[in-house]
Amino acid sequence: MTKESVQTISGSKVTVVEAGNPNREVKSSAFTSYYGVPENAADLYQALAHASDVDPQSIKYETLQGVLYLARKNDLAFTGDRKVLVVGEHQSTVNENMPLRSVIYYGRTMEKLIEPRAIYKSRRILIPTPEFYMFYNGKEPRPTEWTMNLSDAYLVKTDEPMLKLGVKVININPSAHHPILEECQTLYEYSCFMQEIRDRTDAGLSLDEAIQEAMEVCVKRGIMVEFIREHGTEVRNMLYTQFNLEDAKEVWEEEAMERGRTQGLEQGLKQGKWITLVKNIDEFRKNMNLSLEEVCKGADVTVEEYNQAKKLINR
């Protein structure tokens, strides 16, 4: 049974779930919810586009949602002033398939933006200029910024590939000192909040304790105050699931590597990875009461890949 308590943070009552609660249903990530606020998205767009005075009312969300997209859902997509389409993901581990995923996101997003029959008209359809970003805040040291290109994955390399797509990866860890953290207050605050949690778990606090203490400290420092106050319990549950998925993924990868070394073959590593992954996804879903889609996304696999792996394992 879920137990809730009301705590006061800087004079404001915030409802939180007590430590040890195993039933945490989360339908979104903290990053997605935070930038689901038009004012925050406008602040981010303003920094990315080096624009000024971006009206939050000009932000229109195009993030993929619903069961039709299964594991092909992205974290964030919105248009600013109907001129630029920002497609972004927040990740704690670098996924080299991000450009490929972005192609899929972009195609499906354009299906939402354009009336199906319109593409058969002879007159040119004007569309927002797409920009692709990945916001990285993982533990592994990475450059301040770099670009991953879709063409890097092409089997046949050409000097001028017909399809060019680059994803700008921005390291938003405070230690990376990316200029965007000075230009975008919301991203700076989000980065600080995540770092406060990591610092406390590294110091030995339980995840529940680390999140609660980080929330209290950030509100006192004026960081993400409105978001934390308005979504107290929800934020805590989102972060609890997010950090648990990060830790679980690290363990799964370590187990897969160990199984691969024991078997001594590349194929054994691949097989061992999927056996471990499927087993732990099933256990994580059961213990955390999450959907298959949510856990697969946290593990950087698709629902289709999970189902295929499970069929092979059960043969």
Side-chain angles (χ1 to χ4, degrees):
M1 180 179 295
T2 301
K3 295 182 180 179
E4 293 187 347
S5 62
V6 177
Q7 300 187 15
T8 301
I9 300 180
S10 295
S12 178
K13 290 183 177 180
V14 177
T15 302
V16 299
V17 176
E18 292 182 3
N21 170 40
N23 183 17
R24 299 172 183 267
E25 292 193 39
V26 179
K27 300 303 179 186
S28 185
S29 70
F31 182 86
T32 304
S33 294
Y34 187 49
Y35 281 105
V37 178
E39 287 76 11
N40 293 345
D43 185 50
L44 178 62
Y45 172 49
Q46 184 168 297
L48 293 172
H50 301 291
S52 60
D53 299 324
V54 176
D55 186 354
Q57 293 185 357
S58 72
I59 300 296
K60 183 178 179 182
Y61 291 96
E62 305 295 347
T63 309
L64 300 177
Q65 297 177 344
V67 295
L68 289 177
Y69 298 111
L70 294 175
R72 307 294 186 186
K73 298 190 339 186
N74 53 337
D75 286 334
L76 188 67
F78 62 84
T79 56
D81 296 324
R82 297 185 178 273
K83 296 179 181 179
V84 175
L85 171 64
V86 176
V87 180
E89 277 216 27
H90 162 260
Q91 292 185 5
S92 58
T93 56
V94 175
N95 187 315
E96 293 185 357
N97 291 314
M98 199 62 239
L100 181 58
R101 287 162 60 154
S102 295
V103 169
I104 298 172
Y105 298 156
Y106 181 65
R108 296 187 180 228
T109 301
M110 294 309 293
E111 287 178 346
K112 290 180 57 183
L113 284 171
I114 301 173
E115 197 275 321
R117 295 178 60 185
I119 60 174
Y120 297 105
K121 295 179 180 179
S122 59
R123 294 181 61 182
R124 179 182 291 116
I125 301 172
L126 300 180
I127 60 175
T129 303
E131 296 182 0
F132 304 93
Y133 299 93
M134 187 179 94
F135 303 98
Y136 170 77
N137 77 327
K139 297 179 182 178
E140 183 182 348
R142 289 282 181 168
T144 301
E145 178 182 305
W146 73 99
T147 300
M148 293 191 291
N149 297 300
L150 181 66
S151 58
D152 294 338
Y154 291 169
L155 291 173
V156 178
K157 310 294 184 183
T158 62
D159 293 334
E160 292 294 329
M162 291 187 178
L163 177 58
K164 297 180 179 180
L165 189 150
V167 177
K168 181 178 288 188
V169 186
I170 300 176
N171 189 336
I172 61 172
N173 282 304
S175 58
H177 302 293
H178 193 287
I180 197 172
L181 296 182
E182 296 181 4
E183 300 172 17
C184 182
Q185 182 66 23
T186 57
L187 199 57
Y188 168 76
E189 292 185 13
Y190 178 84
S191 174
C192 289
F193 188 20
M194 296 300 105
Q195 191 61 53
E196 290 288 344
I197 297 173
R198 283 211 171 94
D199 288 345
R200 284 160 175 75
T201 55
D202 290 345
L205 268 65
S206 70
L207 184 54
D208 264 309
E209 293 170 334
I211 293 172
Q212 179 59 30
E213 191 172 299
M215 289 171 67
E216 294 172 356
V217 169
C218 285
V219 169
K220 289 178 181 178
R221 291 173 53 192
I223 294 173
M224 292 179 68
V225 177
E226 291 185 13
F227 186 69
I228 293 173
R229 285 177 173 172
E230 185 174 348
H231 305 283
T233 302
E234 187 181 4
V235 170
R236 183 164 178 170
N237 289 349
M238 287 175 186
L239 294 169
Y240 185 89
T241 302
Q242 175 181 325
F243 278 87
N244 263 298
L245 279 170
E246 289 179 17
D247 292 341
K249 187 179 175 185
E250 288 182 9
V251 173
W252 298 346
E253 291 175 348
E254 289 172 3
E255 290 179 346
M257 289 296 293
E258 182 61 35
R259 189 185 295 267
R261 282 193 293 268
T262 301
Q263 294 176 347
L265 296 171
E266 182 178 348
Q267 184 61 31
L269 172 61
K270 184 177 180 181
Q271 181 184 9
K273 172 185 175 181
W274 283 107
I275 291 174
T276 302
L277 195 60
V278 168
K279 175 183 176 182
N280 286 296
I281 284 176
D282 290 341
E283 290 182 355
F284 203 87
R285 287 178 62 200
K286 180 180 178 181
N287 294 335
M288 294 294 296
N289 194 27
L290 295 172
S291 69
L292 176 60
E293 177 189 350
E294 290 166 330
V295 181
C296 283
K297 184 170 183 180
D300 278 335
V301 299
T302 67
V303 173
E304 292 90 338
E305 288 171 336
Y306 164 86
N307 288 330
Q308 291 174 2
K310 191 154 189 174
K311 286 181 181 178
L312 292 172
I313 293 169
N314 292 332
R315 280 183 180 177

